[in-house]
Amino acid sequence: MKSVTPEEPFVLTVEEAARILRIGRSAAYEQARRFIATSGAEGLPALRLGRRLRVPREALNRMLAIRGEAGDADG
């Protein structure tokens, strides 16, 4: 297993994920809530920890890889 440095935490805040995705904070929260409401079928991968939402870095990376592969197939 790859070690995680303080610069690469296991989980991100929704705001951190939004910056990576270059989307707005409100849009990111909307997509995170959609992910939870649809049991992971749609939206930004997120976990609810108490009242907080967190985005697992690996789930975000997988989502981006899948989207990238789909985009490559279209081209």
Side-chain angles (χ1 to χ4, degrees):
M1 176 179 207
K2 181 178 137 185
S3 65
V4 176
T5 65
E7 296 83 33
E8 296 180 352
F10 284 116
V11 294
L12 305 168
T13 65
V14 174
E15 290 90 349
E16 290 168 336
R19 282 194 297 273
I20 290 169
L21 296 170
R22 295 184 175 189
I23 62 174
R25 179 181 176 272
S26 296
Y29 272 101
E30 179 182 326
Q31 290 301 311
R33 286 189 296 268
R34 173 175 274 179
F35 184 86
I36 291 169
T38 64
S39 299
E42 300 175 5
L44 178 64
L47 301 171
R48 185 170 294 283
L49 301 172
R51 295 185 64 202
R52 305 200 189 284
L53 290 171
R54 292 295 183 256
V55 178
R57 181 177 287 279
E58 286 300 317
L60 181 62
N61 289 341
R62 281 193 307 271
M63 182 190 84
L64 293 173
I66 290 168
R67 300 274 195 266
E69 291 171 4
D72 292 344
D74 292 342

